[in-house]
Amino acid sequence: MSSSTRANAAHEAPLTLDQPAPKVLSFWDQSAFWANLGVSLFAFSGAYTVLAPNAEGAAQLSIAAGILATVLGTLVGAAMLGAAALTGARTGQPAMVLLRGLFGAKLSYLPTALNIAQLIGWGTFELIVIGDAAEELFGGGPHWLYVVVAGTLTTVLTIWPLGSVRLLRRFVTAGVVIALVWFYLQFFRAGLPDLRANPGPSGSGPFGVDWNLFWVATDAALAVSISWVPVAADYTRHARSGRSAFGAAGGAYALTQIIAYVLGLFALALATGEGGPYAPFLHVGLGALFFFVFVLREADQSFANVYSTAVSIQNLAPRVDRRVLSIGLGALITILALRLNMANYFGFLGLIGSVFVPLLGVLVADFFLRAHREWNTAPDAPARWGMVAAWLTGFAVYQLVNPGDAGVWTEFWDQARQALHFTGQAWMSASLLSFLAALAMAWLVGKVTAKNTSA
């Protein structure tokens, strides 16, 4: 192996868990990575969910209220994301391996399996989104070809993950910033409607805001940030410092998600009902050119999902080469994207994703609030059933507040609500309440365990 090859290998992610993680990502490398993850095609097409946060489908909030909910929810979610990122920087371990110290090695396999399932789903969904956006951008064409190209690009990026992060910083981020500025200028030139107006039938507060639904919309924005919590440490374990990891994950991501969602809300305000969800972007001057930047950049979303799936699998099989896993996973999500209708799977993804909000609460309580405890990530780390109980407590709180729309699962939690004589209120945030419940329970378990140990 030549000296240049060895140098490049030393600055790339390790192939197995047996190898140390190089601390090579600067604050700006990480900021570019998280900033790009904050700008998503889903943010543009999904901005309507902030205005219509209930099951009725009609917009219930004004654009101004939607912006406020987006900012508040994103800031809270980004703080949680930053905490998850900090754990990776301090330990040098990927996200699922960190859970060995929280639950024990064998018990960490359950959240690992759930994470693998959700990441494969999200990776598949991202390829479908890229294919749909490319089809709208180019006025049709072979949808399968767009998906295959996106899947191939995703796989290539995943084989050299740290090199891909640096590539984002050097070339892609500047194009994304220019595209965002361009669309903001074009939308302002087109003239926006009264942002205080409520496009839906409801509106009980000032500026047409139903403040109960406002908190539900805030929770929806928060959940988008939280979705990256189970993968944050996979990247920040390569950070040069904990401060840079927290600042980049929390700050850069929050900034661009707010910018992207607000832009999506502005596009929604200008929509005429003709064309697809991206029509407002394509109908402005040079819109197709700059929208192409967004479509191309979306591959970093699928890249992040696939790489983290490979690293999660390594918690179960530590000596398997991540490059082999990446190629296999890239092929898998490409095939799934060509064959599946994600509309039926989306509820399942939301259900799995809900387990990681209370899990973060347990992690924060045990990692940050308990001093001088060794974080054991060894393959034989002992089981810690108390922390599992705290996690399940938070998960139960989440489901009682918001059981989602998952058929029999939702019916079960509706019956549990009736048995407990509990009625969820519109202002309740499932994410925040489950996080706090899990954190409090984990802190209590930690205190009792420490007391019994010292006795």
Side-chain angles (χ1 to χ4, degrees), residues 388-399:
V388 174
W391 175 33
L392 294 178
T393 298
F395 178 70
V397 170
Y398 192 108
Q399 297 303 320

Side-chain angles (χ1 to χ4, degrees), residues 277-290:
Y278 308 115
F281 294 93
L282 300 176
H283 290 166
V284 301
L286 298 180
L289 173 63
F290 287 105

Side-chain angles (χ1 to χ4, degrees), residues 350-435:
L351 172 62
I352 293 181
S354 70
V355 308
F356 293 101
V357 177
L359 190 150
L360 177 63
V362 179
L363 180 63
V364 167
D366 201 48
F367 191 91
F368 293 105
L369 303 185
R370 290 189 63 203
H372 309 300
R373 189 182 80 80
E374 181 183 357
W375 200 257
N376 186 0
T377 59
D380 60 350
R384 304 181 69 212
W385 288 99
M387 292 302 161
V388 174
W391 175 33
L392 294 178
T393 298
F395 178 70
V397 170
Y398 192 108
Q399 297 303 320
L400 287 171
V401 174
N402 179 19
D405 183 15
V408 176
W409 179 264
T410 301
E411 293 176 5
F412 169 81
W413 286 101
D414 284 339
Q415 293 173 3
R417 281 177 163 186
Q418 296 175 13
L420 296 172
H421 303 287
F422 173 79
T423 302
Q425 303 298 316
W427 56 265
M428 291 181 176
S429 166
S431 296
L432 284 177
L433 290 177
S434 66
F435 175 85

Side-chain angles (χ1 to χ4, degrees), residues 173-196:
T173 305
V176 171
V177 170
I178 293 171
L180 287 170
V181 171
W182 178 261
F183 281 119
Y184 265 100
L185 292 175
Q186 294 301 309
F187 287 172
F188 278 123
R189 287 182 58 191
L192 293 172
D194 184 359
L195 299 183
R196 298 173 299 175

Side-chain angles (χ1 to χ4, degrees), residues 101-125:
L102 187 63
F103 297 136
K106 296 293 190 265
L107 292 179
S108 73
Y109 292 170
L110 175 57
T112 297
L114 294 175
N115 197 40
I116 291 169
Q118 77 150 350
L119 289 174
I120 290 175
W122 281 117
T124 302
F125 181 70

